[in-house]
Amino acid sequence: MSEGEILSIRNELTGLVISVVSVSFGMISAYIVGLWLFLKNAPLILRLLAFLLMSCGLAFMGVLTGGLNALLLGTERAWSKLGTTSVGIPSFGSERPEFLYGLSMYEASAALGCIAFLAIYITLFFITFFYRWPEDEGRN
């Protein structure tokens, strides 16, 4: 595989990762709007169904992200086999800077993404099933 092919694949994969994250945040935002407008007063079965649908969508995006990560790591391995390159980039994120305490850029970004989405997911679970919304003044 040539340097240009690896860079092209890498660029396409980066665009896909950004799209997956964007769609995931879009799903979460739509769910929050749905909670505020409709689900806060909905019966439990409807809230369960909505939360299950959102969970399935986020699980799909997580699995897709895992597959994209494997492809990104494959481009990293292919890049390292080239030796010297014309662009002078030694790697795409396998460095282990001191401030990341031994984690590579890949590992740190994956961990940060997992922590962020887990916190959001737990918060949405709490808001969906346990939070008591204030009464709307306009409805009384």
Side-chain angles (χ1 to χ4, degrees):
M1 191 174 276
S2 73
E3 183 177 335
E5 290 171 326
I6 295 171
L7 287 172
S8 176
I9 291 169
R10 186 74 184 194
N11 191 35
E12 291 173 20
L13 289 172
T14 301
L16 287 173
V17 168
I18 291 169
S19 295
V20 167
V21 171
S22 175
V23 168
S24 297
F25 279 118
M27 289 170 46
I28 291 167
S29 298
Y31 186 80
I32 291 169
V33 170
L35 269 173
W36 175 251
L37 294 176
F38 308 110
L39 291 174
K40 65 182 177 182
N41 297 319
L44 178 63
I45 191 74
L46 191 57
R47 286 183 282 148
L48 277 169
L49 178 62
F51 193 79
L52 178 67
L53 287 172
M54 184 204 52
S55 298
C56 289
L58 289 178
F60 175 79
M61 291 298 167
V63 170
L64 184 60
T65 302
L68 290 172
N69 187 50
L71 292 172
L72 285 167
L73 292 174
T75 61
E76 179 73 35
R77 285 189 298 276
W79 188 261
S80 67
K81 291 179 183 176
L82 291 177
T84 60
T85 60
S86 63
V87 292
I89 300 172
S91 70
F92 295 116
S94 60
E95 301 88 16
R96 296 180 183 274
E98 222 175 275
F99 65 89
L100 292 179
Y101 301 103
L103 294 175
S104 72
M105 298 294 271
Y106 285 123
E107 294 163 344
S109 62
L112 183 62
C114 287
I115 290 167
F117 275 98
L118 183 63
I120 292 167
Y121 189 76
I122 290 169
T123 302
L124 289 177
F125 179 82
F126 173 78
I127 292 172
T128 301
F129 298 109
F130 299 107
Y131 181 74
R132 295 293 159 233
W133 298 84
E135 293 295 322
D136 286 341
E137 295 299 323
R139 291 186 182 180
N140 293 338

